[in-house]
Amino acid sequence: MPVLVIHGADDEGVAPSYSRAYADAAAARGGDVRFVEVPETTHFDVIDPASPSWRLARDWIRERLA
C-alpha cells in the first residue's frame, strides 16, 4: 500500500524526525513511501483542507487513482 507522510517543519508537538524515521523504516522494508516536510507548517496545518500541505495530499491521491 502506498503511503504519503506529510509533516510540518514547524510542528510544535511532534518532531519531523519521527515521521522521517517511520518513512525511512518503511522504505527500507520495500514500502512505497514518500516523506514530505512542509516548510512553515504546524502540527494541525497538515489536516486543514485549505493549507498547502493538504493540496500535496490531494495531488498525491489523484496521481494514485489515475
Side-chain angles (χ1 to χ4, degrees):
M1 178 58 79
V3 176
L4 174 64
V5 180
I6 299 176
H7 203 112
D10 296 335
D11 190 326
E12 60 286 327
V14 179
S17 61
Y18 284 100
S19 291
R20 188 178 305 109
Y22 166 78
D24 289 347
R29 290 171 178 77
D32 177 5
V33 61
R34 179 175 174 213
F35 172 76
V36 180
E37 187 172 331
V38 185
E40 300 178 11
T41 301
T42 66
H43 187 78
F44 291 104
D45 289 340
V46 298
I47 61 169
D48 178 358
S51 75
S53 58
W54 184 252
R55 284 190 292 278
L56 289 170
R58 182 198 61 214
D59 292 346
W60 183 85
I61 291 167
R62 284 183 177 161
E63 287 173 14
R64 295 299 178 279
L65 295 176

Short mmCIF file of all heavy atoms in Angstrom, two decimals:
data_model
loop_
_atom_site.label_atom_id
_atom_site.label_comp_id
_atom_site.label_asym_id
_atom_site.label_seq_id
_atom_site.Cartn_x
_atom_site.Cartn_y
_atom_site.Cartn_z
N MET A 1 0.84 -1.17 0.00
CA MET A 1 0.00 0.00 0.00
C MET A 1 0.89 1.23 0.00
O MET A 1 1.74 1.38 0.87
CB MET A 1 -0.88 -0.04 1.25
CG MET A 1 -1.78 1.15 1.41
SD MET A 1 -2.91 1.43 0.05
CE MET A 1 -4.17 0.26 0.36
N PRO A 2 0.71 2.13 -0.95
CA PRO A 2 1.49 3.36 -0.97
C PRO A 2 1.15 4.24 0.23
O PRO A 2 0.00 4.30 0.66
CB PRO A 2 1.07 4.05 -2.27
CG PRO A 2 0.17 3.13 -2.98
CD PRO A 2 -0.19 2.01 -2.08
N VAL A 3 2.16 4.92 0.74
CA VAL A 3 1.99 5.77 1.91
C VAL A 3 2.62 7.12 1.63
O VAL A 3 3.75 7.20 1.16
CB VAL A 3 2.65 5.15 3.16
CG1 VAL A 3 2.56 6.08 4.35
CG2 VAL A 3 2.03 3.80 3.48
N LEU A 4 1.89 8.18 1.94
CA LEU A 4 2.40 9.54 1.89
C LEU A 4 2.48 10.04 3.32
O LEU A 4 1.49 10.03 4.04
CB LEU A 4 1.49 10.44 1.07
CG LEU A 4 1.84 11.92 1.07
CD1 LEU A 4 3.21 12.16 0.42
CD2 LEU A 4 0.76 12.73 0.36
N VAL A 5 3.66 10.47 3.73
CA VAL A 5 3.87 11.01 5.08
C VAL A 5 4.14 12.50 4.92
O VAL A 5 5.16 12.88 4.35
CB VAL A 5 5.05 10.31 5.79
CG1 VAL A 5 5.23 10.89 7.18
CG2 VAL A 5 4.84 8.81 5.84
N ILE A 6 3.23 13.32 5.42
CA ILE A 6 3.40 14.77 5.37
C ILE A 6 3.59 15.27 6.80
O ILE A 6 2.80 14.94 7.69
CB ILE A 6 2.17 15.46 4.75
CG1 ILE A 6 1.95 14.97 3.32
CG2 ILE A 6 2.33 16.97 4.78
CD1 ILE A 6 0.70 15.53 2.66
N HIS A 7 4.64 16.06 6.99
CA HIS A 7 4.92 16.58 8.33
C HIS A 7 5.30 18.05 8.22
O HIS A 7 6.09 18.43 7.35
CB HIS A 7 6.07 15.79 8.97
CG HIS A 7 6.06 15.87 10.45
ND1 HIS A 7 5.79 14.79 11.24
CD2 HIS A 7 6.25 16.91 11.29
CE1 HIS A 7 5.83 15.16 12.50
NE2 HIS A 7 6.12 16.43 12.56
N GLY A 8 4.74 18.85 9.09
CA GLY A 8 5.06 20.27 9.11
C GLY A 8 6.42 20.52 9.75
O GLY A 8 6.72 19.99 10.81
N ALA A 9 7.22 21.34 9.09
CA ALA A 9 8.55 21.66 9.61
C ALA A 9 8.46 22.42 10.93
O ALA A 9 9.37 22.34 11.75
CB ALA A 9 9.32 22.48 8.58
N ASP A 10 7.36 23.14 11.15
CA ASP A 10 7.19 23.92 12.37
C ASP A 10 6.25 23.23 13.37
O ASP A 10 5.64 23.91 14.20
CB ASP A 10 6.66 25.32 12.03
CG ASP A 10 7.64 26.12 11.20
OD1 ASP A 10 8.85 25.84 11.27
OD2 ASP A 10 7.19 27.03 10.49
N ASP A 11 6.14 21.93 13.29
CA ASP A 11 5.30 21.16 14.21
C ASP A 11 5.84 21.32 15.62
O ASP A 11 6.98 20.96 15.91
CB ASP A 11 5.31 19.69 13.82
CG ASP A 11 4.29 18.86 14.57
OD1 ASP A 11 4.03 19.17 15.76
OD2 ASP A 11 3.77 17.91 13.99
N GLU A 12 5.03 21.88 16.50
CA GLU A 12 5.45 22.13 17.87
C GLU A 12 5.15 20.95 18.80
O GLU A 12 5.60 20.94 19.94
CB GLU A 12 4.80 23.41 18.41
CG GLU A 12 3.28 23.41 18.43
CD GLU A 12 2.60 23.57 17.07
OE1 GLU A 12 3.13 24.26 16.19
OE2 GLU A 12 1.51 22.98 16.91
N GLY A 13 4.46 19.95 18.31
CA GLY A 13 4.09 18.82 19.15
C GLY A 13 4.88 17.56 18.88
O GLY A 13 5.18 16.79 19.79
N VAL A 14 5.21 17.33 17.61
CA VAL A 14 5.92 16.12 17.21
C VAL A 14 7.05 16.52 16.26
O VAL A 14 6.79 17.18 15.24
CB VAL A 14 4.97 15.12 16.50
CG1 VAL A 14 5.71 13.88 16.07
CG2 VAL A 14 3.78 14.77 17.39
N ALA A 15 8.24 16.12 16.57
CA ALA A 15 9.39 16.46 15.72
C ALA A 15 9.28 15.75 14.37
O ALA A 15 8.89 14.58 14.31
CB ALA A 15 10.68 16.06 16.40
N PRO A 16 9.61 16.45 13.28
CA PRO A 16 9.58 15.82 11.96
C PRO A 16 10.44 14.56 11.87
O PRO A 16 10.16 13.67 11.06
CB PRO A 16 10.10 16.92 11.03
CG PRO A 16 9.78 18.19 11.73
CD PRO A 16 9.92 17.88 13.19
N SER A 17 11.44 14.46 12.70
CA SER A 17 12.32 13.28 12.67
C SER A 17 11.55 11.99 12.94
O SER A 17 11.93 10.92 12.44
CB SER A 17 13.47 13.44 13.66
OG SER A 17 12.98 13.57 14.98
N TYR A 18 10.46 12.05 13.70
CA TYR A 18 9.67 10.85 13.97
C TYR A 18 9.02 10.33 12.68
O TYR A 18 9.07 9.13 12.40
CB TYR A 18 8.58 11.12 15.01
CG TYR A 18 9.11 11.21 16.41
CD1 TYR A 18 9.33 12.45 17.00
CD2 TYR A 18 9.40 10.07 17.15
CE1 TYR A 18 9.82 12.54 18.29
CE2 TYR A 18 9.89 10.14 18.43
CZ TYR A 18 10.11 11.39 19.00
OH TYR A 18 10.61 11.47 20.28
N SER A 19 8.43 11.23 11.92
CA SER A 19 7.80 10.82 10.68
C SER A 19 8.84 10.39 9.65
O SER A 19 8.63 9.44 8.89
CB SER A 19 6.95 11.96 10.11
OG SER A 19 5.84 12.19 10.94
N ARG A 20 9.97 11.09 9.63
CA ARG A 20 11.03 10.72 8.70
C ARG A 20 11.56 9.33 9.03
O ARG A 20 11.79 8.51 8.13
CB ARG A 20 12.17 11.74 8.78
CG ARG A 20 13.23 11.53 7.70
CD ARG A 20 14.33 12.58 7.74
NE ARG A 20 13.81 13.93 7.65
CZ ARG A 20 13.81 14.80 8.67
NH1 ARG A 20 14.30 14.47 9.85
NH2 ARG A 20 13.33 16.02 8.50
N ALA A 21 11.72 9.02 10.32
CA ALA A 21 12.20 7.70 10.72
C ALA A 21 11.21 6.61 10.31
O ALA A 21 11.61 5.53 9.85
CB ALA A 21 12.44 7.66 12.22
N TYR A 22 9.93 6.88 10.46
CA TYR A 22 8.91 5.91 10.03
C TYR A 22 9.01 5.67 8.53
O TYR A 22 9.01 4.53 8.06
CB TYR A 22 7.50 6.39 10.39
CG TYR A 22 6.45 5.59 9.68
CD1 TYR A 22 6.09 4.33 10.13
CD2 TYR A 22 5.85 6.07 8.51
CE1 TYR A 22 5.16 3.57 9.45
CE2 TYR A 22 4.92 5.31 7.83
CZ TYR A 22 4.57 4.06 8.31
OH TYR A 22 3.65 3.31 7.63
N ALA A 23 9.08 6.76 7.76
CA ALA A 23 9.14 6.64 6.31
C ALA A 23 10.40 5.89 5.88
O ALA A 23 10.35 5.03 4.99
CB ALA A 23 9.10 8.02 5.67
N ASP A 24 11.52 6.20 6.51
CA ASP A 24 12.77 5.51 6.18
C ASP A 24 12.68 4.01 6.48
O ASP A 24 13.13 3.18 5.69
CB ASP A 24 13.94 6.12 6.94
CG ASP A 24 14.31 7.51 6.44
OD1 ASP A 24 13.84 7.92 5.36
OD2 ASP A 24 15.07 8.21 7.16
N ALA A 25 12.10 3.67 7.63
CA ALA A 25 11.97 2.26 8.02
C ALA A 25 11.04 1.53 7.05
O ALA A 25 11.33 0.39 6.65
CB ALA A 25 11.46 2.15 9.45
N ALA A 26 9.94 2.16 6.68
CA ALA A 26 9.00 1.52 5.75
C ALA A 26 9.66 1.32 4.38
O ALA A 26 9.51 0.27 3.75
CB ALA A 26 7.73 2.36 5.62
N ALA A 27 10.39 2.32 3.91
CA ALA A 27 11.07 2.22 2.62
C ALA A 27 12.15 1.15 2.66
O ALA A 27 12.33 0.40 1.68
CB ALA A 27 11.67 3.57 2.23
N ALA A 28 12.85 1.03 3.78
CA ALA A 28 13.90 0.01 3.91
C ALA A 28 13.33 -1.40 3.83
O ALA A 28 14.05 -2.34 3.48
CB ALA A 28 14.64 0.20 5.23
N ARG A 29 12.05 -1.55 4.14
CA ARG A 29 11.40 -2.85 4.07
C ARG A 29 10.65 -3.04 2.75
O ARG A 29 9.82 -3.92 2.62
CB ARG A 29 10.45 -3.01 5.25
CG ARG A 29 11.20 -3.17 6.56
CD ARG A 29 10.25 -3.12 7.75
NE ARG A 29 10.93 -3.32 9.00
CZ ARG A 29 11.66 -2.43 9.65
NH1 ARG A 29 11.84 -1.23 9.13
NH2 ARG A 29 12.23 -2.70 10.80
N GLY A 30 10.93 -2.15 1.79
CA GLY A 30 10.34 -2.29 0.48
C GLY A 30 9.04 -1.54 0.28
O GLY A 30 8.38 -1.71 -0.74
N GLY A 31 8.66 -0.72 1.25
CA GLY A 31 7.41 0.01 1.14
C GLY A 31 7.47 1.13 0.13
O GLY A 31 8.52 1.72 -0.11
N ASP A 32 6.32 1.41 -0.47
CA ASP A 32 6.17 2.53 -1.39
C ASP A 32 5.77 3.73 -0.54
O ASP A 32 4.59 3.94 -0.26
CB ASP A 32 5.10 2.20 -2.43
CG ASP A 32 4.83 3.34 -3.40
OD1 ASP A 32 5.52 4.37 -3.35
OD2 ASP A 32 3.91 3.18 -4.22
N VAL A 33 6.77 4.48 -0.08
CA VAL A 33 6.51 5.56 0.86
C VAL A 33 7.21 6.83 0.41
O VAL A 33 8.31 6.80 -0.12
CB VAL A 33 6.96 5.17 2.29
CG1 VAL A 33 8.43 4.87 2.34
CG2 VAL A 33 6.58 6.22 3.31
N ARG A 34 6.51 7.94 0.60
CA ARG A 34 7.08 9.25 0.29
C ARG A 34 6.94 10.13 1.52
O ARG A 34 5.85 10.23 2.10
CB ARG A 34 6.34 9.88 -0.89
CG ARG A 34 6.87 11.26 -1.24
CD ARG A 34 6.20 11.80 -2.48
NE ARG A 34 6.63 13.17 -2.68
CZ ARG A 34 5.87 14.10 -3.21
NH1 ARG A 34 4.65 13.81 -3.61
NH2 ARG A 34 6.34 15.32 -3.35
N PHE A 35 8.03 10.77 1.93
CA PHE A 35 8.04 11.68 3.07
C PHE A 35 8.21 13.10 2.55
O PHE A 35 9.09 13.37 1.74
CB PHE A 35 9.18 11.35 4.03
CG PHE A 35 9.36 12.38 5.12
CD1 PHE A 35 8.49 12.42 6.19
CD2 PHE A 35 10.38 13.30 5.06
CE1 PHE A 35 8.64 13.37 7.19
CE2 PHE A 35 10.56 14.25 6.05
CZ PHE A 35 9.68 14.28 7.12
N VAL A 36 7.34 14.01 3.00
CA VAL A 36 7.42 15.41 2.63
C VAL A 36 7.37 16.24 3.90
O VAL A 36 6.42 16.13 4.69
CB VAL A 36 6.27 15.83 1.70
CG1 VAL A 36 6.38 17.30 1.33
CG2 VAL A 36 6.20 14.97 0.47
N GLU A 37 8.40 17.06 4.10
CA GLU A 37 8.41 18.01 5.22
C GLU A 37 8.06 19.37 4.64
O GLU A 37 8.79 19.90 3.80
CB GLU A 37 9.78 18.03 5.88
CG GLU A 37 9.80 18.87 7.14
CD GLU A 37 11.10 18.73 7.91
OE1 GLU A 37 11.74 17.66 7.83
OE2 GLU A 37 11.48 19.69 8.59
N VAL A 38 6.95 19.93 5.08
CA VAL A 38 6.43 21.17 4.50
C VAL A 38 6.89 22.36 5.35
O VAL A 38 6.60 22.43 6.54
CB VAL A 38 4.89 21.14 4.42
CG1 VAL A 38 4.36 22.37 3.72
CG2 VAL A 38 4.42 19.88 3.70
N PRO A 39 7.62 23.29 4.73
CA PRO A 39 8.08 24.47 5.46
C PRO A 39 6.92 25.33 5.96
O PRO A 39 5.84 25.34 5.36
CB PRO A 39 8.90 25.25 4.43
CG PRO A 39 9.05 24.38 3.25
CD PRO A 39 8.03 23.29 3.34
N GLU A 40 7.17 26.02 7.06
CA GLU A 40 6.18 26.95 7.63
C GLU A 40 4.83 26.30 7.86
O GLU A 40 3.78 26.90 7.62
CB GLU A 40 6.05 28.18 6.74
CG GLU A 40 7.36 28.94 6.59
CD GLU A 40 7.25 30.13 5.67
OE1 GLU A 40 6.12 30.51 5.29
OE2 GLU A 40 8.30 30.68 5.30
N THR A 41 4.84 25.06 8.31
CA THR A 41 3.61 24.30 8.54
C THR A 41 3.65 23.71 9.94
O THR A 41 4.65 23.13 10.34
CB THR A 41 3.46 23.18 7.49
OG1 THR A 41 3.45 23.79 6.19
CG2 THR A 41 2.20 22.39 7.68
N THR A 42 2.55 23.87 10.68
CA THR A 42 2.48 23.37 12.04
C THR A 42 1.78 22.02 12.11
O THR A 42 1.39 21.45 11.09
CB THR A 42 1.71 24.37 12.94
OG1 THR A 42 0.35 24.42 12.49
CG2 THR A 42 2.32 25.76 12.88
N HIS A 43 1.60 21.54 13.32
CA HIS A 43 1.03 20.21 13.56
C HIS A 43 -0.36 20.07 12.93
O HIS A 43 -0.66 19.05 12.31
CB HIS A 43 0.96 19.96 15.07
CG HIS A 43 0.55 18.58 15.43
ND1 HIS A 43 1.42 17.51 15.37
CD2 HIS A 43 -0.63 18.07 15.84
CE1 HIS A 43 0.80 16.41 15.74
NE2 HIS A 43 -0.46 16.72 16.03
N PHE A 44 -1.20 21.05 13.09
CA PHE A 44 -2.58 20.92 12.62
C PHE A 44 -2.79 21.45 11.20
O PHE A 44 -3.82 21.19 10.59
CB PHE A 44 -3.56 21.59 13.60
CG PHE A 44 -3.64 20.83 14.89
CD1 PHE A 44 -3.01 21.31 16.03
CD2 PHE A 44 -4.32 19.63 14.96
CE1 PHE A 44 -3.07 20.60 17.22
CE2 PHE A 44 -4.39 18.91 16.15
CZ PHE A 44 -3.76 19.40 17.28
N ASP A 45 -1.83 22.17 10.66
CA ASP A 45 -1.96 22.65 9.28
C ASP A 45 -2.10 21.50 8.30
O ASP A 45 -2.77 21.64 7.27
CB ASP A 45 -0.75 23.49 8.88
CG ASP A 45 -0.70 24.84 9.56
OD1 ASP A 45 -1.75 25.30 10.06
OD2 ASP A 45 0.40 25.43 9.61
N VAL A 46 -1.47 20.37 8.59
CA VAL A 46 -1.48 19.26 7.63
C VAL A 46 -2.86 18.62 7.46
O VAL A 46 -3.07 17.88 6.51
CB VAL A 46 -0.43 18.18 7.98
CG1 VAL A 46 0.97 18.75 7.93
CG2 VAL A 46 -0.70 17.55 9.32
N ILE A 47 -3.79 18.93 8.34
CA ILE A 47 -5.15 18.38 8.20
C ILE A 47 -6.16 19.44 7.79
O ILE A 47 -7.35 19.17 7.71
CB ILE A 47 -5.63 17.65 9.48
CG1 ILE A 47 -5.68 18.60 10.66
CG2 ILE A 47 -4.75 16.45 9.76
CD1 ILE A 47 -6.38 18.03 11.88
N ASP A 48 -5.69 20.65 7.51
CA ASP A 48 -6.56 21.74 7.09
C ASP A 48 -6.70 21.69 5.56
O ASP A 48 -5.73 21.88 4.84
CB ASP A 48 -5.95 23.08 7.51
CG ASP A 48 -6.76 24.27 7.08
OD1 ASP A 48 -7.81 24.10 6.40
OD2 ASP A 48 -6.36 25.40 7.41
N PRO A 49 -7.90 21.43 5.05
CA PRO A 49 -8.08 21.32 3.60
C PRO A 49 -7.70 22.58 2.83
O PRO A 49 -7.49 22.51 1.62
CB PRO A 49 -9.58 21.03 3.45
CG PRO A 49 -10.00 20.45 4.75
CD PRO A 49 -9.13 21.12 5.78
N ALA A 50 -7.57 23.72 3.50
CA ALA A 50 -7.19 24.96 2.83
C ALA A 50 -5.68 25.18 2.81
O ALA A 50 -5.20 26.14 2.21
CB ALA A 50 -7.87 26.15 3.50
N SER A 51 -4.93 24.31 3.44
CA SER A 51 -3.48 24.51 3.55
C SER A 51 -2.73 23.92 2.35
O SER A 51 -3.22 23.01 1.68
CB SER A 51 -2.96 23.87 4.83
OG SER A 51 -2.90 22.47 4.69
N PRO A 52 -1.53 24.44 2.09
CA PRO A 52 -0.71 23.88 1.00
C PRO A 52 -0.40 22.39 1.21
O PRO A 52 -0.32 21.65 0.23
CB PRO A 52 0.57 24.71 1.05
CG PRO A 52 0.17 26.00 1.69
CD PRO A 52 -0.91 25.62 2.68
N SER A 53 -0.24 21.97 2.45
CA SER A 53 0.09 20.56 2.69
C SER A 53 -1.07 19.65 2.29
O SER A 53 -0.86 18.54 1.81
CB SER A 53 0.48 20.33 4.15
OG SER A 53 -0.56 20.71 5.01
N TRP A 54 -2.29 20.12 2.46
CA TRP A 54 -3.43 19.30 2.05
C TRP A 54 -3.48 19.18 0.53
O TRP A 54 -3.83 18.13 -0.01
CB TRP A 54 -4.74 19.87 2.60
CG TRP A 54 -5.88 18.97 2.26
CD1 TRP A 54 -6.85 19.19 1.34
CD2 TRP A 54 -6.12 17.66 2.78
NE1 TRP A 54 -7.70 18.12 1.26
CE2 TRP A 54 -7.26 17.16 2.14
CE3 TRP A 54 -5.47 16.87 3.71
CZ2 TRP A 54 -7.78 15.91 2.41
CZ3 TRP A 54 -6.00 15.61 3.98
CH2 TRP A 54 -7.13 15.15 3.34
N ARG A 55 -3.09 20.23 -0.17
CA ARG A 55 -3.04 20.15 -1.63
C ARG A 55 -2.03 19.10 -2.07
O ARG A 55 -2.25 18.39 -3.04
CB ARG A 55 -2.73 21.52 -2.23
CG ARG A 55 -3.94 22.46 -2.20
CD ARG A 55 -3.72 23.72 -2.99
NE ARG A 55 -2.71 24.61 -2.41
CZ ARG A 55 -2.95 25.47 -1.42
NH1 ARG A 55 -4.15 25.54 -0.89
NH2 ARG A 55 -1.99 26.24 -0.97
N LEU A 56 -0.92 18.98 -1.35
CA LEU A 56 0.05 17.92 -1.64
C LEU A 56 -0.61 16.55 -1.52
O LEU A 56 -0.42 15.68 -2.36
CB LEU A 56 1.24 17.99 -0.68
CG LEU A 56 2.20 19.14 -0.84
CD1 LEU A 56 3.15 19.18 0.35
CD2 LEU A 56 2.97 18.99 -2.13
N ALA A 57 -1.37 16.37 -0.45
CA ALA A 57 -2.05 15.09 -0.22
C ALA A 57 -3.08 14.82 -1.32
O ALA A 57 -3.14 13.72 -1.87
CB ALA A 57 -2.72 15.09 1.14
N ARG A 58 -3.85 15.84 -1.65
CA ARG A 58 -4.86 15.68 -2.70
C ARG A 58 -4.23 15.29 -4.03
O ARG A 58 -4.69 14.37 -4.70
CB ARG A 58 -5.65 16.98 -2.84
CG ARG A 58 -6.76 16.90 -3.88
CD ARG A 58 -7.24 18.26 -4.32
NE ARG A 58 -6.11 18.97 -4.94
CZ ARG A 58 -5.93 20.29 -4.84
NH1 ARG A 58 -6.76 21.03 -4.17
NH2 ARG A 58 -4.89 20.86 -5.43
N ASP A 59 -3.15 15.98 -4.39
CA ASP A 59 -2.49 15.69 -5.66
C ASP A 59 -1.89 14.28 -5.67
O ASP A 59 -1.96 13.57 -6.67
CB ASP A 59 -1.42 16.73 -5.95
CG ASP A 59 -2.01 18.10 -6.23
OD1 ASP A 59 -3.23 18.22 -6.46
OD2 ASP A 59 -1.23 19.08 -6.20
N TRP A 60 -1.33 13.87 -4.54
CA TRP A 60 -0.75 12.53 -4.43
C TRP A 60 -1.84 11.46 -4.59
O TRP A 60 -1.65 10.48 -5.30
CB TRP A 60 -0.04 12.39 -3.08
CG TRP A 60 0.66 11.10 -2.87
CD1 TRP A 60 1.92 10.78 -3.26
CD2 TRP A 60 0.15 9.96 -2.19
NE1 TRP A 60 2.24 9.51 -2.87
CE2 TRP A 60 1.16 8.98 -2.20
CE3 TRP A 60 -1.04 9.66 -1.56
CZ2 TRP A 60 1.00 7.73 -1.62
CZ3 TRP A 60 -1.21 8.42 -0.97
CH2 TRP A 60 -0.20 7.48 -1.01
N ILE A 61 -2.97 11.69 -3.97
CA ILE A 61 -4.10 10.74 -4.09
C ILE A 61 -4.59 10.67 -5.53
O ILE A 61 -4.82 9.60 -6.07
CB ILE A 61 -5.24 11.13 -3.13
CG1 ILE A 61 -4.80 10.90 -1.68
CG2 ILE A 61 -6.52 10.34 -3.44
CD1 ILE A 61 -5.72 11.53 -0.65
N ARG A 62 -4.71 11.82 -6.15
CA ARG A 62 -5.17 11.85 -7.56
C ARG A 62 -4.20 11.09 -8.46
O ARG A 62 -4.64 10.39 -9.38
CB ARG A 62 -5.32 13.27 -8.03
CG ARG A 62 -6.57 13.95 -7.51
CD ARG A 62 -6.71 15.32 -8.06
NE ARG A 62 -7.96 15.91 -7.60
CZ ARG A 62 -8.23 17.20 -7.60
NH1 ARG A 62 -7.34 18.06 -8.07
NH2 ARG A 62 -9.39 17.64 -7.16
N GLU A 63 -2.90 11.24 -8.22
CA GLU A 63 -1.90 10.51 -9.01
C GLU A 63 -2.10 9.00 -8.85
O GLU A 63 -1.95 8.25 -9.81
CB GLU A 63 -0.49 10.88 -8.56
CG GLU A 63 -0.05 12.25 -8.97
CD GLU A 63 1.30 12.62 -8.36
OE1 GLU A 63 2.01 11.73 -7.83
OE2 GLU A 63 1.65 13.81 -8.40
N ARG A 64 -2.39 8.56 -7.65
CA ARG A 64 -2.56 7.14 -7.39
C ARG A 64 -3.83 6.58 -8.02
O ARG A 64 -3.91 5.42 -8.36
CB ARG A 64 -2.60 6.85 -5.87
CG ARG A 64 -1.31 7.16 -5.13
CD ARG A 64 -0.19 6.32 -5.68
NE ARG A 64 1.11 6.51 -5.11
CZ ARG A 64 1.98 7.48 -5.40
NH1 ARG A 64 1.63 8.44 -6.20
NH2 ARG A 64 3.18 7.52 -4.87
N LEU A 65 -4.84 7.42 -8.15
CA LEU A 65 -6.12 6.98 -8.70
C LEU A 65 -6.16 7.05 -10.23
O LEU A 65 -7.06 6.48 -10.84
CB LEU A 65 -7.27 7.81 -8.12
CG LEU A 65 -7.52 7.65 -6.63
CD1 LEU A 65 -8.63 8.59 -6.17
CD2 LEU A 65 -7.85 6.21 -6.29
N ALA A 66 -5.19 7.73 -10.80
CA ALA A 66 -5.20 7.91 -12.27
C ALA A 66 -4.86 6.61 -12.97
O ALA A 66 -4.27 5.71 -12.50
CB ALA A 66 -4.19 8.98 -12.66
#
